[in-house]
Amino acid sequence: MSLDRDTVRRLREGMAQGVLSFPLTSFHADGSLDPDGFRAHVAAQIATAPGAVFPACGTGEFFSLDEDEYRRVVTIAVEEAAGRLPVVAGIGYGWAQAARFARIAEEAGADALLVLPHYLVAAPQDGLVAQLEHIAERTRLPLIAYQRGQVAFTAASLRRIAAIPTVIGLKDGHSDLDRLQRLTLAAPEGFLFFNGAATAEIQARAYATVGVPAYSSAVHAFAPEIANAFFTALKDGRDGGDGTVEKLLRDFYVPLVELRDRVPGYAVSLVKAAARLRGRPVGPVRAPLTDPSDADLAQLKALLTTGLDLVGAAL
């Protein structure tokens, strides 16, 4: 498969200009897909000028979507983006299923694919490389590998996956900066790296020191005002000037992470709950995730109000 270099160029430009948006997938109260709600949500996300939009990934509850729902979600994201920014769809499970989702995303018009960690089993480095090779053989779309959980590449393996013509980058969720520095040094020129840590803003400055300034922002899904203010301040170096970065980290992001860490799955559940607090039509999470307790929801609302106030916005 030949590489779509225009998509790589657009992604690189987008990474430098804004956060990466990972929209939530909207569900009705009964758990069924809400296409209209998702369309409204992703349109609002795109209107705030992110660098790219990543539908049906972790924040979008890819793991809970069937193939028909996945097709509708990716199709809507492509329609709303209308070529204005890249659309990178999530795929995952084993390589055979990932290839099925890749075909759907390709038919729906996605520009690239984020390969989420495979299902369940631990695997040696040769297997991690083979997983990407098998997927790359079955789709023309550029691939971004995602290492977290049971997927962690060595520098030698990074060189091997970077040699696959359509593998264009790596998203990192391990936050092991020693390993990540080795990977960035092993990568060929032009290979893309993304900070994919949970609540990535917490570690954005540290990632930037090893050459990975681009990051995904879950906060963007419910408070783009906060996410964009943080990104701009960090990019402009205002953490040492007017203190925007320090204020947001201390008074919003760190307390958010502390709340997030109370319950497994809150990395998605709190994001959806915060979006609902702002009137976004995203609905509940699907099992096995659970929505926040009333007490945690009250704390989230207070925290959200504080964060918005810091950037001159309102709930």
Side-chain angles (χ1 to χ4, degrees):
M1 300 282 182
S2 61
L3 176 60
D4 180 357
R5 297 192 181 280
D6 184 59
T7 293
V8 179
R9 176 189 60 78
R10 293 172 66 213
L11 273 170
R12 181 177 292 108
E13 291 174 354
M15 290 161 55
Q17 295 169 4
V19 299
L20 306 177
S21 170
F22 283 67
L24 301 154
T25 300
S26 300
F27 300 122
H28 293 293
D30 65 359
S32 60
L33 183 69
D34 178 5
D36 293 337
F38 178 71
R39 185 178 296 277
H41 171 61
V42 77
Q45 289 282 285
I46 290 170
T48 62
V53 61
F54 288 66
C57 293
T59 306
E61 297 178 79
F62 166 78
F63 55 85
S64 76
L65 300 177
D66 66 28
E67 291 183 10
D68 290 337
E69 292 170 331
Y70 177 84
R71 184 185 299 275
R72 296 187 78 181
V73 165
V74 177
T75 298
I76 289 169
V78 170
E79 290 172 351
E80 292 302 318
R84 291 173 291 170
L85 74 173
V87 176
V88 184
I91 61 173
Y93 305 114
W95 64 260
Q97 287 174 292
R100 289 175 63 90
F101 282 102
R103 285 194 294 273
I104 294 169
E106 188 171 334
E107 292 165 1
D111 298 294
L113 303 168
L114 178 65
V115 183
L116 303 172
H118 63 270
Y119 174 67
L120 190 61
V121 297
Q125 292 294 308
D126 285 347
L128 298 180
V129 174
Q131 167 92 339
L132 287 170
E133 289 174 338
H134 287 316
I135 296 170
E137 289 168 358
R138 290 162 174 81
T139 180
R140 66 173 181 80
L141 293 181
L143 303 176
I144 299 168
Y146 189 4
Q147 66 168 17
R148 69 180 300 161
Q150 68 271 35
V151 177
F153 294 100
T154 63
S157 294
L158 188 283
R159 294 188 190 95
R160 292 172 64 189
I161 67 171
I164 301 170
T166 54
V167 174
I168 63 172
L170 177 75
K171 181 182 180 185
D172 175 72
H174 284 295
S175 304
D176 180 341
L177 296 184
D178 178 279
R179 175 188 289 269
L180 186 59
Q181 182 70 91
R182 294 167 191 262
L183 297 182
T184 61
L185 293 172
E189 183 178 358
F191 197 74
L192 304 178
F193 284 91
F194 308 82
N195 168 3
T199 316
E201 286 90 344
I202 289 285
Q203 301 183 61
R205 289 186 293 189
Y207 268 80
T209 64
V210 295
V212 185
Y215 60 89
S216 57
S217 174
V219 169
H220 188 271
F222 64 86
E225 305 97 324
I226 298 173
N228 289 341
F230 184 91
F231 178 88
T232 300
L234 189 65
K235 182 179 178 182
D236 294 347
R238 285 193 274 125
D239 53 325
D242 68 4
T244 297
V245 169
E246 293 291 341
K247 290 175 185 175
L248 286 171
L249 285 173
R250 181 181 59 249
D251 297 333
F252 175 74
Y253 282 104
V254 168
L256 179 65
V257 167
E258 291 171 350
L259 181 58
R260 180 201 72 198
D261 289 346
R262 287 183 187 174
V263 178
Y266 263 20
V268 176
S269 300
L270 286 180
V271 174
K272 264 201 161 174
R276 292 195 301 273
L277 286 171
R278 305 201 73 199
R280 308 297 190 256
V282 298
V285 292
R286 274 183 175 174
L289 300 181
T290 58
D291 288 311
S293 67
D294 289 344
D296 288 345
L297 190 60
Q299 184 173 345
L300 176 64
K301 184 176 182 179
L303 184 55
L304 179 55
T305 300
T306 297
L308 290 168
D309 183 63
L310 285 170
V311 298
L315 187 60

